Structure formats: structure tokens, C-alpha cells
Amino acid sequence: MEFKFVLPEELNAQNLKELLENEWLIPRKVRHFLRVRKNVQINGEPGMFHQPVQPGDLITLTFEADDYDVPTINLGNAKAIVPLWEDEHLIIVNKPYGKKTHPNQPDEKDTLLNDLAAYLQPKGQIPYVVHRLDKETSGAILFAKNPIILPILGRMLEKKEIHRVYEALIEGSLPQKELIINKKIGRDRHDRRKRLVDEKRGKTAITHVSTFKKVKNNTWVTCWLETGRTHQIRVHLASIGKPIIGDPLYHPKASSDQRLYLHARELTLTHPFTKETIKAQATPFLSES
């Protein structure tokens, strides 16, 4: 694999080693191979690890087959993929309702990851999971296309630098137009599929919720997360007596023929390499379909 990067104007003063280690999170073993194999170039010349790098410099990295482990993914249906934004490093796609994000068993091939592997195969690329959406949730979801950007996106997710906005249809209406739900979430010991509010043993979970459209006796709300706990929006809304319509786990009146009315409508991040602002919207929005 060979990658070329033009360093952005926002680059902090640093040398090549600091760029590879601190900015791009390339593992120590791989940095060692890059150095001893002379697989790093700056503006077409062999790069020295102590050498300063500047905005506008062209960095070329060449990776050998044994530098990274390559996952084996069964190929699914490439035609099922609806790309919202992509370049050589990452892709944002529109996940359909009812499809798992990734396999849980080695022989599975009907998940979004399998479909994306089939879509990327002609380009010689492989998808890597950055975050997940519940099977019942639709909308924008981000994948890495190579192991170089994967840890960088993971760090951005931890630092809350990847912003996700959801829409949900709830029963009734909110007690106020905007509110913050700050309740710890833990596992339900009686049902392994579920989570619940658990202030003693749970993990911190914060959800921002606001009203944007009323429909008869129900309300469309916008949600964004400060944390990323499993089923967070679903558990938090149910905990205040406003479960999401069609939720098979947390709405006591949900019917089996309903879908969960939860949609990841927007995903925004700054590209780690180009510093471009990426804003992908999963249209049509569920509230408009």
C-alpha cells in the first residue's frame, strides 16, 4: 500500500517521528519498519525521523504486506450500499433499517460490513468498523478504508470529535422543548439484549434532546450524544416515559410489524489528513419519508 499526504496549513510544528507517532498514531512496530525499509519520503526524498515537516510537504508512506493484519470479510451485496461521502481513507454510508452493522459469527455475510466489503473490493480496499448502529436503527455510519486512519478515527470518537445527530419519533411530547438526560446506563441482568438506567453500576451517559416537529399525539425529536453507550437514546427516552415508537425492547406497546423510528440523520467530522469539514446527511430523513 502506498499513501500520499499533503500536510495541511493547520499543522503544528513537529518532526517526522512526531507526525507518525502522535498525529497519525502509527504503531511502533510499523514505524520501525517504515524507518529501516526507508519507506517514508518527504517531497520525493527519503525522510529522516528527526527531520522537521512543514505545511504543504508531500509525505509518501509505503507499507509492506506484513505491516498490518488484514481482516477476512465475507462478501455481501455491493448494490445495497448507499455512499454518502467517501475518499481513499474513509466512507460514510446510509445504513438501512433491520441490518446489523457487522457480523458476530465468522460465517455471517448479510451485514452492512459484508455489503461494504463487496462494494470496496473492486477498489482494492477493505472496510474497518469505527462505530456501530443498532440493527433497528437506520442512517449515517462511518467506516475506515485502511488500518492507517482507523486508530485516528477511534481517537476522534473518544474525544467527541465526531458529531452525530439523530431523529426519533417519541410517544407524547417532551416536558420542555430542550432537555439534557444525564443518567448512567448499565446492563440488564435479566435480559442480555437490554440496557437500563443504573446509577450505581452504570457508565456515564448524556443525551441532548429537543423538539422539532409534532405529529398528532407523537413528537419528532432531535438527539445528539455526549457519550456513546449501547442503546443510549432508546434507554434514556424510555426512562423519562417517552419511548421511541416501534422500539421492540423499550416500548411496552410496540408491535412486531413496526420499525424503530430512530435515524442517524447527520454525521460531521474534520478529516484527519486534509482538515476538511465533512458533513454527511442520510436523506431522505425518516421524519420526511
Side-chain angles (χ1 to χ4, degrees):
M1 294 185 294
E2 181 181 276
F3 295 97
K4 295 181 182 292
F5 308 92
V6 177
L7 299 183
E9 292 297 325
E10 299 86 350
L11 185 76
N12 295 323
Q14 59 194 297
N15 61 31
L16 179 60
K17 179 180 182 294
E18 292 167 333
L19 176 72
L20 299 179
E21 181 176 356
N22 301 328
E23 291 271 347
W24 292 351
L25 302 181
I26 293 179
R28 177 183 295 180
K29 180 189 78 170
V30 180
R31 295 198 311 271
H32 171 73
F33 288 152
L34 288 172
R35 182 174 58 81
V36 299
R37 293 168 177 169
K38 302 187 185 305
N39 279 349
V40 186
Q41 292 185 335
I42 301 176
N43 300 321
E45 300 292 335
M48 306 301 291
F49 271 39
H50 64 270
Q51 183 176 347
V53 292
Q54 308 291 337
D57 281 348
L58 173 64
I59 308 296
T60 303
L61 304 181
T62 302
F63 297 98
E64 308 291 343
D66 59 348
D67 283 346
Y68 287 98
D69 294 331
V70 178
T72 300
I73 305 172
N74 295 321
L75 300 183
N77 178 16
K79 294 181 179 179
I81 293 298
V82 179
L84 303 175
W85 195 96
E86 69 174 306
D87 69 359
E88 65 176 314
H89 299 290
L90 60 88
I91 183 169
I92 303 170
V93 301
N94 195 356
K95 177 189 169 298
Y97 158 75
K99 185 175 283 285
K100 291 167 61 175
T101 296
H102 60 80
N104 296 112
Q105 302 297 330
D107 60 343
E108 286 186 80
K109 57 181 180 181
D110 190 30
T111 74
L112 188 63
L113 187 69
N114 301 117
D115 294 344
L116 187 54
Y119 172 84
L120 294 178
Q121 187 192 42
K123 306 179 183 185
Q125 298 170 327
I126 300 173
Y128 296 80
V129 175
V130 176
H131 66 110
R132 296 158 180 79
L133 289 178
D134 297 338
K135 178 180 178 180
E136 299 87 357
T137 304
S138 58
I141 181 170
L142 170 68
F143 291 87
K145 284 187 175 185
N146 59 62
I148 319 308
I149 201 171
L150 180 62
I152 304 174
L153 295 175
R155 178 177 62 183
M156 292 175 65
L157 199 65
E158 291 178 4
K159 295 174 68 175
K160 304 178 181 63
E161 294 173 351
I162 298 175
H163 189 65
R164 292 170 285 168
V165 177
Y166 296 77
E167 60 178 13
L169 182 64
I170 62 169
E171 185 174 277
S173 58
L174 295 177
Q176 56 200 68
K177 187 173 180 179
E178 297 182 358
L179 66 132
I180 299 173
I181 306 174
N182 186 348
K183 297 181 179 181
K184 293 182 179 179
I185 292 177
R187 291 181 177 272
D188 188 329
R189 291 181 291 173
H190 304 291
D191 188 339
R192 60 183 299 179
R193 301 172 304 162
K194 298 176 69 174
R195 301 293 189 271
L196 46 69
V197 170
D198 185 345
E199 293 297 346
K200 288 186 177 180
R201 292 179 293 272
K203 295 182 178 179
T204 299
I206 303 173
T207 306
H208 296 249
V209 188
S210 62
T211 297
F212 79 91
K213 184 194 296 186
K214 297 203 173 189
V215 183
K216 296 183 179 179
N217 297 323
N218 302 321
T219 305
W220 281 104
V221 297
T222 299
C223 306
W224 68 269
L225 308 176
E226 284 193 37
T227 53
R229 307 302 174 201
T230 299
H231 297 178
Q232 179 173 320
I233 294 174
R234 299 164 66 179
V235 171
H236 270 173
L237 288 173
S239 76
I240 62 170
K242 306 298 176 184
I244 300 174
I245 301 298
D247 193 328
L249 293 179
Y250 304 104
H251 196 307
K253 299 178 182 178
S255 61
S256 58
D257 60 346
Q258 275 186 313
R259 69 152 289 172
L260 172 70
Y261 280 82
L262 178 62
H263 181 69
R265 64 182 290 163
E266 188 174 290
L267 191 151
T268 306
L269 73 152
T270 298
H271 196 294
F273 298 138
T274 67
K275 303 305 179 183
E276 170 189 5
T277 297
I278 301 168
K279 184 175 183 178
Q281 293 186 320
T283 56
F285 300 140
L286 187 59
S287 58
E288 298 172 353
S289 60

